[in-house]
């Protein structure tokens, strides 16, 4: 494998035109977009946009401090995208029972948002900052699950928003 290293950040550009290529971006080099008064939608954390999909990277950041600000993501149902999130490290502030190494897949149209315990903790502002690192891929085309994914699926995940949580 050939490896080309630049002595500067090649993303520090206003645009890009050229061939597709393999690219590695360290999440530690991403400065998160933040607002102390408003919970920013996931698209604010977009790192790559391509034809048919976007990639968002969630990195540690301060949690909203304004008393009136929502501290957790709002409920939504992805009318246009399948949503896959890989949880890399940290404590995932908007979810219960999600641990590093896990992957979630929310098909287009599936309503979801913070889990009940996370929603309650967010309302009390238990933490001042998130330490989570996760990567999300939203795809315009529906995804099919490979056999390996089906074999490891947590069949109760879909029930995890019930109160009290069952998963
Ligand atoms: Fe979502």
């Amino acid at each position: 494998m050939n490896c080309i290293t630049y002595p500067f950040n090649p993303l520090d550009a206003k645009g890009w035109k050229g061939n597709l290529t393999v690219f590695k971006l360290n999440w530690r080099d991403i400065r998160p977009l933040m607002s102390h008064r408003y919970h920013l939608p996931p698209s604010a954390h977009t790192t790559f946009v391509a034809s048919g999909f976007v990639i968002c990277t969630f990195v540690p950041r301060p949690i909203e401090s304004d008393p009136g600000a929502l501290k957790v993501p709002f409920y939504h149902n992805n009318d246009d995208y399948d949503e896959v999130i890989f949880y890399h490290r940290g404590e995932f502030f908007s979810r219960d029972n999600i641990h590093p190494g896990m992957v979630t897949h929310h098909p287009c149209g599936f309503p979801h948002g913070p889990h009940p315990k996370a929603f309650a903790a967010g309302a009390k502002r238990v933490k001042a900052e998130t330490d989570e690192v996760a990567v999300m891929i939203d795809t315009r085309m529906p995804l099919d699950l490979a056999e390996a994914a089906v074999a490891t699926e947590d069949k109760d995940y879909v029930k995890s928003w019930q109160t009290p949580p069952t998963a």
Side-chain angles (χ1 to χ4, degrees), residues 7 28 55 93 103 140 155 157:
R28 294 171 187 84
I55 299 175
F93 76 106
V103 174
R140 294 286 286 183
K155 304 286 186 200
Y157 177 70

Side-chain angles (χ1 to χ4, degrees), residues 24 38 76 81 95 100 127 130 138 140 142 149 159:
K24 182 167 73 174
Y38 185 77
H76 57 283
Y81 291 90
R95 302 289 172 84
K127 296 169 63 175
T130 72
D138 279 4
R140 294 286 286 183
K159 303 175 190 170

Side-chain angles (χ1 to χ4, degrees), residues 17-145:
K17 184 176 181 182
N19 295 330
L20 298 177
T21 184
V22 176
F23 193 87
K24 182 167 73 174
L25 174 64
N26 192 319
W27 64 264
R28 294 171 187 84
D29 293 331
I30 298 173
R31 271 61 167 182
L33 205 56
M34 298 175 289
S35 167
H36 70 289
R37 296 187 64 197
Y38 185 77
H39 186 86
L40 298 173
S43 56
H45 306 287
T46 299
T47 40
F48 293 101
V49 177
S51 175
F53 69 94
V54 298
I55 299 175
C56 302
T57 309
F58 306 107
V59 298
R61 63 170 177 80
I63 290 179
E64 296 77 8
S65 59
D66 187 285
L70 186 64
K71 311 294 191 301
V72 289
F74 33 80
Y75 293 92
H76 57 283
N77 58 351
N78 308 1
D79 284 339
D80 301 314
Y81 291 90
D82 268 22
E83 173 191 294
V84 174
I85 302 180
F86 168 66
Y87 301 88
H88 172 57
R89 77 172 222 188
E91 184 180 337
F92 302 99
F93 76 106
S94 68
R95 302 289 172 84
D96 301 333
N97 298 317
I98 294 290
H99 306 288
M102 294 178 78
V103 174
T104 57
H105 173 210
H106 299 152
C108 174
F110 174 65
H112 61 281
H115 282 117
K117 280 193 292 187
F119 190 81
K124 294 181 197 164
R125 193 168 185 258
V126 175
K127 296 169 63 175
E129 60 186 40
T130 72
D131 65 350
E132 68 183 33
V133 177
V135 177
M136 178 172 78
I137 301 175
D138 279 4
T139 66
R140 294 286 286 183
M141 298 296 288
L143 298 173
D144 290 324
L145 294 182

